[in-house]
């Protein structure tokens, strides 16, 4: 593939011209024993998946569509921490290609979206199986990163003024960044993730993944060790303390910063 020569050592990258979903393919291969650090990258997906059964769109050849496999035998971090590490790696890869002003405006949105000027440039979907099973357990982390194309309301490297580049070049950057992050102890990785997260300290609305259209609004104050977002509400409990909600899954809308709230 173009740029494949840049792939850092230790990754087994397989490129396919077209598939349904690189995540589905790699999960299947992982169950069959594919090795740690296997990577599938596609020019085109016909059934690209987002979180919560949504779809991920990209025209053939325009964007990075990739899944990476971490086997529990080789990496101790739980699924949400590996997803966070790939999110930070994607953010760094995006920042490195943006003109200086854009780089400062790039941040993660909980759980792992890469935003530039509050528009989505990349998203992550992690699928873990058999947690705690050192031999057969694994996590597949899928990353869709908009290089040359984005849908209405989102953004891409091209749209943000980055020099033209191939998705394969961005993949090499992302893998190199993961190389730097994966060996870090959990506490350092957590700190790096929290530093990268534009959501903390913001007024947010979270549309909950409960199916009933429920949402909560408040201040995003923490992400716990399980990767859940802690939102402090305006309402107070019987003791006068502000109530808190801990959220497993949902969609965050960044409202104004805390300072203006
Ligand atoms: C995500 O879901 O952000 C996770 C996306 C993961 C995609 C990768 S591609 C390689 C691997 N193989 C797969 O099958 N998936 C992974 P979520 O937060 O649910 O966002 C999905 C929503 O973002 C959709 O409902 C659209 O509204 C929007 N969307 C779709 N395509 C987009 C794009 N290219 N850029 C920005 N937003 C998009």
């Amino acid at each position: 593939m173009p740029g494949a020569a840049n792939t850092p050592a230790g990754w087994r990258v397989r490129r396919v011209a077209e598939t349904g979903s690189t995540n589905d393919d790699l999960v299947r291969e992982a169950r069959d024993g594919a090795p740690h650090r296997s990577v599938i990258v596609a020019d085109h997906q016909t059934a690209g998946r987002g979180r919560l059964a949504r779809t991920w769109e990209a025209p053939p050849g325009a964007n990075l569509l990739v899944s990476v496999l971490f086997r529990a035998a080789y990496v101790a971090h739980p699924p949400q921490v590996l997803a966070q590490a790939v999110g930070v790696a994607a953010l760094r890869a995006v920042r490195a290609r943006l003109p200086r002003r854009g780089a400062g405006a790039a941040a993660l949105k909980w759980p792992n979206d890469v935003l530039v000027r509050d528009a989505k440039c990349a998203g992550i979907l992690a699928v873990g199986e058999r947690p705690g099973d050192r031999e057969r357990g694994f996590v597949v982390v899928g990353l869709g990163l908009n290089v040359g194309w984005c849908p209405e309301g989102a953004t891409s490297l091209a749209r943000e003024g980055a020099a033209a580049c191939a998705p394969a070049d961005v993949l090499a950057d992302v893998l190199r960044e993961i190389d730097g992050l994966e060996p870090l102890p959990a506490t350092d990785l957590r700190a790096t993730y929290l530093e990268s997260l534009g959501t903390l300290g913001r007024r947010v609305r979270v549309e909950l993944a409960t199916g009933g259209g429920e949402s909560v609004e408040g201040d995003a104050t923490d992400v716990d060790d399980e990767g859940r977002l802690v939102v402090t509400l305006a309402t107070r409990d019987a003791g006068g303390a502000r109530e808190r909600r801990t959220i497993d899954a949902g969609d965050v809308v960044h409202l104004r910063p805390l300072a203006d709230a």
Side-chain angles (χ1 to χ4, degrees), residues 20-24 45 47-52 54-58 63-67 113 120-125 142-144 146 149-151 154-155 251:
S21 153
T22 58
N23 258 38
D24 291 356
Q45 293 183 130
R49 291 179 188 278
R51 296 174 308 130
L52 312 170
R54 292 184 293 223
T55 55
W56 188 256
E57 310 287 342
N63 290 346
L64 177 59
L65 306 165
V66 64
S67 298
D113 285 354
K120 184 159 171 166
C121 188
I124 280 180
L125 173 66
L143 167 68
N146 299 333
W149 177 90
C150 60
T155 197
D251 288 306

